[in-house]
Amino acid sequence: LLSGGRNQVRFEKQFLRMTGEPFPARLASSVVRDQDGEFMFAMGMIEDLSERKRTQEQLRVSEARFARILDIAGQAIISIDEHHCIQLFNKRAEEIFGYAAEEILGRSIDVLLPEQFRAVHRAHMEEFSHGPESSRVMARRGQITGLRKDGADFPAEASIRSEEHTSELQSRSELVCRL
């Protein structure tokens, strides 16, 4: 910093409190120079990241617990975003539909429906997303038919729940399928 190569530096490292206890922190340091580029003074800030790191670890543990619950669920659980793209596909969904989660995530929910039902399904989803209901048993609209990766279709029962994330300005729908 003082040699003039850089005016700012930021990094994270462990620091010690006055008690000797280590804590994670971010150090940001800047050099202020005059109009001729000569050093005038330096400023530094240390931000304690303890709470953020603790919160991140709690989130990681919670997500791992949620993933384990999804993996043992006896029903297919599929989550789609506002564009009808699959965001979550649990183990039971893999077994029923024949897709690995890695190959289906990000794809349209339409790939899990026979071609002749896709337009009707989209219309029902749009109606549902703009209606007052937050959940619905989909069989109320008629027979539900799923499509496996191998092209075989099958009768299914499904329910849907919608959730709007105001902080992200997006909506998400969860589908639960039963054979």
Side-chain angles (χ1 to χ4, degrees), residues 12 14 24-25 49-58:
E12 290 183 19
Q14 291 284 326
L49 300 176
S50 299
E51 188 61 33
R52 179 180 298 166
K53 298 284 186 181
R54 198 171 11 261
T55 301
Q56 288 172 340
E57 178 60 16
Q58 289 171 343

Side-chain angles (χ1 to χ4, degrees), residues 1-2 6-8 29-33 39-43:
L1 284 177
L2 295 179
R6 295 174 57 183
N7 287 330
Q8 290 185 352
S29 182
S30 299
V31 170
V32 178
R33 300 181 187 284
F39 173 81
M40 291 177 54
F41 60 92
M43 297 184 299

Side-chain angles (χ1 to χ4, degrees), residues 2-17:
L2 295 179
S3 66
R6 295 174 57 183
N7 287 330
Q8 290 185 352
V9 65
R10 293 176 189 209
F11 59 90
E12 290 183 19
K13 75 177 268 181
Q14 291 284 326
F15 286 87
L16 292 176
R17 299 188 192 284

Side-chain angles (χ1 to χ4, degrees), residues 56-125:
Q56 288 172 340
E57 178 60 16
Q58 289 171 343
L59 178 60
R60 187 194 65 72
V61 168
S62 177
E63 287 174 340
R65 184 179 307 123
F66 180 67
R68 286 191 306 274
I69 291 168
L70 286 177
D71 282 348
I72 64 168
Q75 299 171 329
I77 301 173
I78 303 166
S79 180
I80 60 173
D81 64 15
E82 70 274 16
H83 304 292
H84 302 240
C85 293
I86 299 169
Q87 301 298 308
L88 183 141
F89 200 76
N90 76 339
K91 293 278 189 215
R92 186 66 178 131
E94 289 181 336
E95 293 167 5
I96 291 172
F97 290 97
Y99 289 94
E102 298 79 33
E103 66 182 311
I104 195 86
L105 293 177
R107 293 178 66 185
S108 172
I109 190 74
D110 287 350
V111 301
L112 303 179
L113 302 169
E115 183 73 40
Q116 68 269 27
F117 297 118
R118 291 176 184 174
V120 171
H121 179 262
R122 279 214 174 254
H124 286 316
M125 291 291 286

